[in-house]
Amino acid sequence: MTGSSLLMEFQSRISEKTARVGIVGMGYVGLPLALGFARNGFHTTGFDIDAAKVEKLLRGETYITHIPASAVAAEVNKGKLEATTDYAQLREMDAIIICVPTPLDEHRAPDLSYIESTAEAISANMRAGQLIVLESTTYPGTTDEVVLPMLEKSGLHCPPLPYTITGGAIASPETAGADFLLAFSPEREDPGNKQFQTHQIPKVIGGVNAASAVAAQALYDQVFEKTLLVSSARAAEMTKLLENIYRCVNIALVNELKLLCLRMGIDIWEVIEAAKTKPFGFTPFYPGPGLGGHCIPIDPFYLTWKAREYEFPTRFIELAGEINSAMPEHVVASLADALNRRKQCLQEARILVLGVAYKKDIDDLRESPSLRIMELLKIRGARVDYHDPYFPRLPKMRRYDFRLASVELTAQVLSQFDAVVIATDHSSYDYHFIARHARLVLDTRNATRDVAGFREKIVRC
Ligand SMILES: NC(=O)c1ccc[n+]([C@@H]2O[C@H](COP(=O)([O-])OP(=O)(O)OC[C@H]3O[C@@H](n4cnc5c(N)ncnc54)[C@H](O)[C@@H]3O)[C@@H](O)[C@H]2O)c1
């Protein structure tokens, strides 16, 4: 099959909606994406190594709070969504989208093991004519340098060839010698964001060659309102990193300014609210207890690692990392100071941490600064409990094992603690009630901004 006939065949299966879509990794990114394809009429199969997730999906259930079971059940019952742990079924797919984790290892270097094992599994179950798209966030070069050679072990080929985009399109997408198609398209999911749903967020796409880019665009055009081609997989990989580094650096900037404002007796949140009235040239970012989630604390260091190959120090990233990762220590030091002013000390103090999710209204603990705060408090001898409506118990994690259950949030319970730390500003919290019944409140999120009274026992930090 030539590159162009392979592409034409793929495009016609897409436009007829007979193409089968496989999503590998049915997590925060993969599940909403699979639902998107299923809703748009594509027979979609979710592949995951976690058999418990697969079984839940097959029963029409959910395991992600902000994705309702009814949404899963609707597609399962229509026969549009199924799930499996059996990689052999990859061969039946026309498009395979990879959404597996990309964490850092213990030396803060990229851990590509999930991508590599997925590529290996695909390679063993590939056939000619398939499109494979990597969505996992990673450093520029992963698709070309890591995934492509692993897929080519199948004996099939996808020659990496430069292409140009004119007026948003590729004039001649033919790619001679291509047996399969390979592209990168970064995921821009923001879990819990009610303003933007997956399909409303424009999809950036870069191919290993022109045919791959055009095929991937044809696929995503079925689900996303807007797609945008860039001239290589590397450019698409770098786009995602730029977005996350931009957030990481700007959050570090406001965190540093917060520390200065605290010393100067200026309210940083008031300043940000005032600055954001400027209709151009300013985007607000907010200080907090530290970075959390699977993206912002991790992804920038993928680039730092890759930049070393080019003997290039990524100083903004390193500085932002330094400032942001010092925030939990700042919270604990502020709490010790506040207790000290009351002639109390942190040692033996009973501290209640409100919110362990890394941001409000989601059930995601990954890299949550609350966990680091709890660890630091325990190191300093405090007796720590927590409350979080999304986590009745704290599971054992790679780094932490607190063996704690969420306490009840009653007036009596609140009053038993020497201090309450608002680490995550869940919308369901009644901040007036908390301030009324707690002895001391340390507010890391400005969550008590509308609480009129009790200011003498609220400390913002
Ligand atoms: N969560 C987000 O908000 C977000 C946003 C943008 C980008 N991303 C990126 O998307 C990627 C996936 O993130 P996520 O949040 O969905 O992760 P997740 O941990 O929620 O889901 C990953 C899923 O992949 C499965 N898995 C792991 N190895 C597998 C394998 N070899 N084969 C099949 N399944 C496998 C896991 O069991 C899990 O269900 C990461 O690279 C992440 O950086 C995440």
Side-chain angles (χ1 to χ4, degrees), residues 257-273:
L257 290 181
K258 172 185 76 173
L259 298 184
L260 175 63
C261 283
L262 280 169
R263 287 197 188 188
M264 295 176 79
I266 297 168
D267 179 347
I268 183 71
W269 284 279
E270 181 190 12
V271 171
I272 295 168
E273 287 312 300

Side-chain angles (χ1 to χ4, degrees), residues 25 27-29 48 53 87 100 102 118 136-137 189 191 240 366:
Y28 286 88
V29 167
D48 207 294
K53 280 185 182 166
Y87 282 133
V100 294
T102 42
T118 303
S136 304
T137 308
E189 186 72 16
K240 173 71 186 179
R366 287 175 293 179

